């Protein structure tokens, strides 16, 4: 009888042994909680496709941030849902805009115990729902949009954002924002670039949450085509060259290969965004009893880390943080 020479199963025998040899771990330190803060509502408004996620009022947004601090989460990423929208999304850079007010209010309450990241984009603020200003032909005008991103980033930094996160996939957006911040004396503000962001059906529930569904067309004219990995690498390299301090890949599950590909190529912290549709999918399958939701959520996040992500923006952050606090 021939017996195997290698016996990897030796190291899988007990839970203690498996814990000792586990190569990748999940930690509360790796998780970023996304928060939606809405203007003109007096109580949280649940997002139908995302059970457990709501548009928050200013007050409940601060409560969520306090909860995040209590659970040891290092950061939140803020999205604004304004009352009024216009063609250029001017609500994004108003000093008393909803994101700016949320930054100020959270900072007043939790100080530096929580990193404040702001999504720097215009889609929540434009009446047409696109991520930038439109050209006469209805396409998004790249270069005209850059100046609006600069204003938005500076105004977010002035309201107290530690990190601005451009997510619009305009060419040159990182360089433009860096220049705008530096000119405004905000050299300390970091940039988290949504560097490789694919045009994805998995953002559907977010657009309900943020009220940012495009009125016409789609985002394929600026977000990456799902078939392209070399182009994704190029986008990440460009953002690093333009001065991104941290880079992110999005979505997570349909881009695990991109995370793994990019990881050895860049020396910046690398994030992944486990997006609204991924959350909705897990919650729905769990609620229907089709899978063990807690186990599936854990597995998804561990796999994202295994692929090479240092940190994960995820709507499961509070839940995972609670479980991490309860475990060893
Ligand atoms: C754009 C933005 C989007 C998301 C983050 N920033 C929406 C989009 O590109 O359509 C999606 C996040 C998610 O789906 O959870 N401001």
């Amino acid at each position: 009888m021939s017996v195997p020479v290698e016996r990897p199963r030796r190291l899988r025998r007990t839970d203690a042994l498996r814990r000792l040899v586990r190569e990748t771990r999940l930690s509360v330190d790796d998780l970023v909680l996304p928060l939606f803060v809405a203007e003109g509502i007096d109580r949280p408004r649940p997002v139908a496709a995302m059970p457990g996620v709501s548009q928050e009022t200013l007050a409940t947004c601060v409560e969520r941030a306090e909860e995040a601090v209590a659970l040891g989460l290092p950061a939140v990423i803020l999205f604004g849902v304004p009352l009024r929208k216009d063609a250029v999304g001017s609500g994004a850079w108003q000093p008393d805009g909803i994101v700016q007010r949320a930054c100020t209010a959270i900072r007043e309450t939790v100080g530096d115990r929580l990193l404040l990241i702001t999504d720097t984009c215009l889609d929540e603020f434009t009446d047409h729902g696109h991520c930038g200003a439109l050209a006469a032909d209805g396409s998004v005008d790249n270069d005209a949009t850059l100046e609006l991103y600069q204003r938005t980033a500076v105004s977010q930094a002035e309201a107290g954002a530690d990190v601005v996160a451009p997510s619009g996939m305009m060419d040159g957006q990182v360089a433009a924002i860096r220049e705008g911040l530096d000119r405004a004396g905000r050299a300390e503000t970091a940039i988290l670039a949504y560097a490789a962001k694919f045009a994805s059906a998995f953002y559907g529930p977010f657009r309900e949450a943020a009220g940012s569904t495009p009125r016409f067309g789609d985002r394929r004219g600026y977000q990456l085509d799902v078939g392209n990995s070399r182009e994704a690498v190029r986008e990440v390299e460009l953002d690093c060259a333009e001065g991104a301090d941290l880079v992110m890949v999005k979505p997570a599950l349909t881009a695990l290969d991109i995370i793994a590909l990019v990881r050895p190529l860049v020396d910046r912290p690398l994030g992944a965004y486990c997006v609204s549709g991924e959350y909705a999918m897990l919650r729905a399958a769990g609620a229907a009893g089709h899978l063990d939701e807690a186990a599936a959520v854990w597995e998804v996040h561990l796999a994202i880390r295994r692929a090479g992500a240092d940190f994960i923006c995820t709507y499961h952050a509070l839940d995972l943080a609670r479980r991490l606090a309860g475990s060893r």
Side-chain angles (χ1 to χ4, degrees):
M1 191 184 72
S2 89
V3 294
V5 182
E6 290 258 5
R7 291 191 181 273
R9 284 187 56 193
R10 257 182 218 133
L11 299 184
R12 299 178 194 150
R13 209 168 41 82
T14 67
D15 187 56
L17 193 42
R18 289 190 293 271
R19 276 205 283 136
L20 180 74
V21 302
R22 188 163 296 138
E23 298 170 33
T24 311
R25 291 168 209 283
L26 262 185
S27 153
V28 70
D29 293 333
D30 310 325
L31 305 174
V32 178
L33 173 70
L35 287 176
F36 299 100
V37 56
E39 208 168 35
I41 57 173
D42 52 18
R43 69 178 67 108
R45 187 191 290 158
V47 179
M50 303 175 72
V53 175
S54 293
Q55 292 181 350
E56 307 289 348
T57 68
L58 262 185
T60 62
C61 176
V62 173
E63 287 171 19
R64 287 288 89 73
E66 290 181 284
E67 209 177 331
V69 169
L71 286 164
L73 288 168
V76 293
I77 179 164
L78 293 170
F79 299 91
V81 187
L83 258 188
R84 272 173 297 281
K85 305 186 184 219
D86 60 29
V88 292
S90 64
W93 61 81
Q94 299 310 315
D96 62 347
I98 185 64
V99 170
Q100 287 77 1
R101 286 163 63 205
C103 283
T104 309
I106 294 173
R107 181 71 74 215
E108 266 173 20
T109 313
V110 304
D112 276 334
R113 285 179 299 162
L114 193 65
L115 194 75
L116 298 184
I117 309 176
T118 50
D119 187 78
T120 305
C121 198
L122 299 176
D123 59 320
E124 298 100 320
F125 300 90
T126 52
D127 50 17
H128 44 74
H130 279 288
C131 295
L134 300 183
D137 65 359
S139 65
V140 175
D141 185 334
N142 192 90
D143 299 6
T145 299
L146 295 182
E147 203 230 322
L148 309 182
Y149 284 178
Q150 284 180 324
R151 287 189 209 177
T152 304
V154 168
S155 134
Q156 292 172 339
E158 280 169 356
D162 300 291
V163 180
V164 296
S167 64
M169 290 298 283
M170 295 301 128
D171 294 334
Q173 64 184 13
V174 173
I177 288 174
R178 184 71 271 157
E179 184 197 302
L181 288 170
D182 290 350
R183 213 189 312 123
R186 296 281 162 187
E188 295 294 312
T189 307
I191 299 177
L192 161 59
Y194 287 74
K197 176 173 175 181
F198 288 91
S200 170
F202 288 93
Y203 309 152
F206 172 94
R207 293 177 189 167
E208 177 203 333
S212 68
T213 309
R215 289 277 165 79
F216 61 89
D218 53 44
R219 304 211 204 289
R220 286 182 292 183
Y222 37 106
Q223 298 178 348
L224 277 166
D225 188 279
V226 175
N228 295 357
S229 57
R230 289 187 296 268
E231 192 187 347
V233 170
R234 178 100 189 103
E235 283 282 9
V236 174
E237 287 173 345
L238 277 172
D239 283 0
C240 289
E242 287 180 28
D245 301 284
L246 315 97
V247 290
M248 189 150 70
V249 171
K250 180 182 167 194
L253 278 187
T254 54
L256 290 178
D257 59 327
I258 307 297
I259 298 168
L261 193 61
V262 161
R263 177 64 288 175
L265 301 180
V266 298
D267 56 4
R268 314 292 147 92
L270 174 64
Y273 200 134
C274 185
V275 300
S276 58
E278 304 180 66
Y279 177 86
M281 203 160 57
L282 286 164
R283 299 288 338 240
H290 294 326
L291 47 68
D292 176 343
E293 186 180 329
V297 166
W298 190 271
E299 181 176 327
V300 161
H301 290 78
L302 193 58
I304 296 168
R305 292 266 299 119
R306 189 191 66 221
D310 299 309
F311 63 94
I312 309 173
C313 293
T314 173
Y315 303 96
H316 302 278
L318 287 172
D319 170 44
L320 285 169
R322 265 181 225 113
R323 285 157 63 187
L324 283 160
S327 64
R328 20 185 189 274

